[in-house]
Amino acid sequence: MYFQGYWLCLGLLFVSVNAEFMDDGVEVEELSENSEDLDTNEGELSSEIKYKTPQPVGEVYFTETFDSGKLAGWVLSKAKKDDTTVEISIYDGRWEIEELKENRAPGDRGLVLKSRAKHHAISTMLAKPFIFVDRPLIVQYEVNFQDGIDCGGAYIKLLADTDDLNLENFHDKTSYTIMFGPDKCGEDYKLHFIIRHKHPQTGVYEEKHAKPPDVDLKPFFTDRKTHLYTLVMNPDDTFEVLIDQIVVNRGSLLEDVVPPINPLKEIEDPTDEKPDDWDERAKVPDPSAIKPEDWDENEPAQIEDLSAVKPDGWLDAEPKFIPDPNAEKPDDWNEDMDGEWEAPRISNPACRIGCGEWKPPMINNPKYKGVWRPPMIDNPNYQGIWSPRKIPNPYYFEDDHPFLLTSFRALGLELWSMTSDIYFDNFIICSEKEVADRWATDGWGVKMMANANERGIFKQLITTAEERPWLWFIYLVTAGLPIALIISFCWPRKVKKKYEDANDKETDICKPQTKGALEQEVKEEKAALEKPVDFVEEKQQSDGEILEKEEGEPQEKSEEEIEIIEGQEEGNKSNKSGSEDEMKEADESTGSGDGPVKSIRKRRVRKE
């Protein structure tokens, strides 16, 4: 039964942890299902992950792996921010191409933000501009906050295709079409998806923010793992945001952005004003109400309790606080600068009952009524809450296809961060989901396998328990159950065996010898005396050797010494186990003299 419970706990632990790992690995599994060309054989997986630079398998607008170790095509900004101090207005943050600090795949590199508390800006042109017509837009890249994140972002900007686009002058005011990616400051964890929509009448661009995801984003910022961020925009004006190939947000550009794409048809008239005689009071005092004649507004809310009596032992002349008699003036106290020194005051120990002038406690006044006010009634002139009248919105428009955004032709990272070593890798912009999935398989998927291989079982268990605290209970039960089983099986048996051995020894010592048994022993001794002397001496010698081996004596003893010692031991046992009457009867039955007694002692030595 114990083993059944133990295996049950082990099974529960295995199922729980395996379920967690399956959750973590669902992205890779879904990735494998969606990619027909992925040929993975678990039985042939080697312990060392072999990384190969991903190659796009379809039409793409942009890809970047950084595996070459060079920033070919990337341009560092030389611009300055306008709304900040000179010291931090320059985009002088440092970028490097490096491998991951942990769970790296040999040969895999990424772009790493290296500076703290600095502005960073870097950008690159696409292979060709993306024009919003009738094909989906898919943007995908990887981020790893290798040292966690205090305050900073890891989002990208897709820079609008404008005539004045200059990558060396890339800054925070540069026109962009889409901003996408993670951002965090304080305890506010965000995943931005912002589009800049152009007003068809005024030509002014306005930012539209997608609704926030319905999932907890904190683990993606704090677990120091590489995560895959994907944005999918469809020509039917719908969108999806995915993390590690799991949808965390979806919606419509027409309904799920703030402020909405299309403005209100009517707006409040800015010239309208509330009339002076507009009555917004829902309740008013009853004008017909009269204050009762017995209503006394002068009665106080509380009065002294006249039934209270000063307690015995109350010391009216004693102060409540006295100077501390144990306090001493500090040696460095300077009365010219610090003033006259006074000991700190403490509660007067004599005031156990009370000190100072005694006053009766205050109680609620039963006659108190307060200021009289007339009761409130419904306002017969109530007109409701005033609001300006509505007029047609002069800037109203209806965009029933907001997917048609401004085309873009560059990708940029314009970031401020209080944490360094933010890792970016494997950018891709395309129009086919299968192309992005295959790209993820060859890049991010390899990182996930390297992560699974390098993490030990204990580290995996601890990481899993941190995400699901209830697993600690299962770990405790699984680890403690074997100890409990060992104690329950081994400890009682040892105690029982020790108790039985003690009983056996006690039985051997205390077991009495009856008269019949003694007579039988005498008869056997007589028969033994009739045998040849040589045989008896030989037996005595052999018995002596056996006794000497059993007792572990370092030196040999003569036969007579052995007989004397053995006789004394047997005599002590006989005195303890048998009664005096039985010994007397035994002596009478064997006759007088030392011979029979001596022979009995010899026999007992041989027997033992």
Side-chain angles (χ1 to χ4, degrees):
M1 180 176 181
Y2 288 109
F3 284 105
Q4 291 178 353
Y6 178 63
W7 288 115
L8 178 61
C9 290
L10 280 180
L12 182 59
L13 174 63
F14 175 78
V15 172
S16 302
V17 176
N18 190 46
E20 167 65 15
F21 293 156
M22 290 180 66
D23 290 343
D24 291 343
V26 67
E27 302 87 353
V28 180
E29 293 175 3
E30 292 177 358
L31 202 64
S32 301
E33 294 175 358
N34 295 333
S35 181
E36 297 179 358
D37 298 332
L38 182 62
D39 186 13
T40 303
N41 188 343
E42 295 182 359
E44 298 177 357
L45 270 177
S46 62
S47 58
E48 181 180 355
I49 300 299
K50 296 181 179 179
Y51 174 79
K52 184 179 180 181
T53 300
Q55 299 294 331
V57 294
E59 182 182 2
V60 296
Y61 296 87
F62 176 75
T63 59
E64 180 61 83
T65 64
F66 304 103
D67 290 343
S68 65
K70 300 179 181 179
L71 284 173
W74 290 83
V75 179
L76 294 174
S77 175
K78 300 178 181 178
K80 294 182 179 180
K81 292 176 67 72
D82 297 332
D83 54 353
T84 186
T85 60
V86 178
E87 291 77 8
I88 61 174
S89 63
I90 304 174
Y91 287 94
D92 56 350
R94 188 164 57 91
W95 301 88
E96 296 289 347
I97 297 179
E98 298 176 349
E99 292 185 347
L100 281 168
K101 291 183 177 180
E102 298 180 359
N103 304 321
R104 65 176 62 90
D108 182 24
R109 299 181 180 89
L111 179 65
V112 182
L113 182 149
K114 299 296 294 183
S115 305
R116 296 179 65 255
K118 289 183 177 293
H119 289 286
H120 303 71
I122 191 170
S123 56
T124 185
M125 288 290 186
L126 308 186
K128 57 182 177 179
F130 183 90
I131 301 175
F132 293 89
V133 183
D134 56 359
R135 302 189 67 188
L137 168 65
I138 300 173
V139 181
Q140 183 172 276
Y141 69 106
E142 302 169 13
V143 175
N144 188 321
F145 297 103
Q146 300 184 92
D147 294 334
I149 184 71
D150 293 326
C151 182
Y155 47 82
I156 63 172
K157 291 181 178 180
L158 303 179
L159 307 182
D161 186 7
T162 58
D163 296 335
D164 59 347
L165 179 60
N166 180 4
L167 299 187
E168 289 187 350
N169 195 37
F170 174 42
H171 57 93
D172 59 325
K173 299 295 192 300
T174 301
S175 179
Y176 68 89
T177 300
I178 294 173
M179 187 172 113
F180 171 66
D183 187 20
K184 185 254 183 182
C185 199
E187 289 301 316
D188 191 9
Y189 299 87
K190 296 180 180 180
L191 179 54
H192 291 300
F193 170 39
I194 305 172
I195 62 173
R196 296 182 75 245
H197 183 265
K198 183 178 180 180
H199 196 290
Q201 295 182 7
T202 63
V204 176
Y205 285 89
E206 185 179 20
E207 290 185 351
K208 310 290 183 179
H209 296 249
K211 65 178 182 180
D214 295 331
V215 299
D216 182 15
L217 298 175
K218 183 176 180 179
F220 302 110
F221 291 81
T222 58
D223 61 6
R224 306 191 181 190
K225 298 178 182 178
T226 302
H227 293 287
L228 183 71
Y229 293 88
T230 307
L231 169 66
V232 179
M233 294 181 63
N234 298 308
D236 62 356
D237 303 307
T238 61
F239 67 87
E240 288 184 341
V241 176
L242 302 89
I243 302 180
D244 298 343
Q245 296 201 319
I246 297 177
V247 177
V248 298
N249 194 10
R250 57 161 50 99
S252 169
L253 297 177
L254 292 169
E255 300 175 355
D256 300 306
V257 296
V258 179
I261 293 292
N262 297 316
L264 299 174
K265 291 182 178 182
E266 292 184 337
I267 61 173
E268 295 180 349
D269 185 358
T271 64
D272 193 13
E273 296 181 358
K274 183 175 72 171
D276 296 336
D277 59 349
W278 189 276
D279 196 345
E280 294 182 339
R281 299 174 301 165
K283 297 282 186 178
V284 294
D286 184 0
S288 62
I290 300 175
K291 182 175 75 171
E293 296 179 357
D294 59 348
W295 191 282
D296 188 356
E297 296 182 351
N298 297 324
E299 285 287 344
Q302 288 190 326
I303 58 174
E304 292 182 351
D305 185 3
L306 301 179
S307 63
V309 180
K310 183 171 69 172
D312 295 337
W314 188 280
L315 305 177
D316 296 272
E318 286 286 341
K320 294 182 179 179
F321 298 96
I322 61 172
D324 185 358
N326 298 323
E328 297 180 358
K329 184 173 68 174
D331 296 335
D332 58 350
W333 186 274
N334 189 333
E335 292 189 355
D336 295 334
M337 299 181 61
D338 302 327
E340 184 180 358
W341 180 81
E342 294 182 359
R345 301 176 69 82
I346 61 173
S347 298
N348 191 344
C351 299
R352 295 189 301 271
I353 305 300
C355 292
E357 183 184 359
W358 181 84
K359 293 181 179 180
M362 304 297 288
I363 61 173
N364 293 330
N365 186 359
K367 298 180 180 180
Y368 173 74
K369 294 184 178 181
V371 178
W372 181 85
R373 293 183 176 85
M376 304 296 288
I377 61 174
D378 292 336
N379 185 2
N381 300 321
Y382 177 66
Q383 295 176 275
I385 303 299
W386 181 87
S387 61
R389 62 175 175 267
K390 300 290 185 180
I391 61 173
N393 186 355
Y395 300 105
Y396 173 76
F397 67 90
E398 186 173 358
D399 185 354
D400 56 356
H401 198 21
F403 173 76
L404 302 177
L405 299 173
T406 303
S407 60
F408 61 88
R409 61 186 176 104
L411 180 148
L413 292 91
E414 188 267 322
L415 305 169
W416 162 273
S417 178
M418 294 299 297
T419 307
S420 60
D421 289 328
I422 302 176
Y423 177 93
F424 301 85
D425 199 7
N426 293 334
F427 290 89
I428 185 171
I429 299 176
C430 60
S431 293
E432 299 178 14
K433 190 65 167 58
E434 294 77 11
V435 175
D437 289 344
R438 180 56 185 267
W439 180 264
T441 302
D442 296 341
W444 176 76
V446 174
K447 287 185 177 68
M448 292 303 97
M449 288 187 286
N451 182 33
N453 279 9
E454 290 194 13
R455 293 169 62 197
I457 182 63
F458 291 105
K459 187 174 181 181
Q460 295 182 42
L461 291 175
I462 292 174
T463 303
T464 305
E466 289 176 350
E467 298 175 358
R468 287 172 168 79
W470 54 268
L471 283 174
W472 287 114
F473 173 75
I474 297 180
Y475 294 170
L476 181 62
V477 173
T478 306
L481 191 58
I483 299 176
L485 291 175
I486 292 173
I487 294 175
S488 62
F489 277 107
C490 299
W491 180 256
R493 292 186 177 183
K494 290 182 178 179
V495 174
K496 182 177 180 181
K497 183 177 180 181
K498 184 176 180 181
Y499 179 75
E500 291 176 351
D501 293 344
N503 287 342
D504 292 341
K505 292 181 179 180
E506 184 178 355
T507 302
D508 294 340
I509 294 173
C510 300
K511 184 176 180 180
Q513 293 185 1
T514 62
K515 180 179 179 180
L518 292 174
E519 293 177 352
Q520 182 65 28
E521 291 178 359
V522 171
K523 292 180 180 180
E524 292 177 356
E525 284 298 327
K526 289 181 178 181
L529 292 174
E530 295 176 356
K531 294 182 179 181
V533 177
D534 295 340
F535 177 77
V536 174
E537 291 178 354
E538 182 180 353
K539 290 293 290 181
Q540 289 177 350
Q541 184 176 1
S542 61
D543 292 341
E545 293 175 356
I546 294 173
L547 180 61
E548 183 178 354
K549 291 181 181 180
E550 290 179 352
E551 294 179 352
E553 293 288 343
Q555 296 179 356
E556 295 183 357
K557 291 183 172 59
S558 63
E559 293 180 2
E560 294 180 358
E561 290 175 345
I562 294 173
E563 290 177 1
I564 294 172
I565 294 173
E566 292 171 349
Q568 291 176 353
E569 292 178 353
E570 190 62 33
N572 293 336
K573 291 182 180 180
S574 301
N575 291 336
K576 293 180 181 179
S577 61
S579 65
E580 294 179 359
D581 295 338
E582 291 175 344
M583 294 299 297
K584 183 177 180 180
E585 292 177 359
D587 292 338
E588 293 176 354
S589 62
T590 55
S592 61
D594 296 334
V597 176
K598 186 176 181 181
S599 64
I600 291 174
R601 292 173 182 172
K602 290 181 180 180
R603 191 206 64 78
R604 290 181 179 175
V605 171
R606 290 196 301 271
K607 185 177 180 181
E608 291 177 355

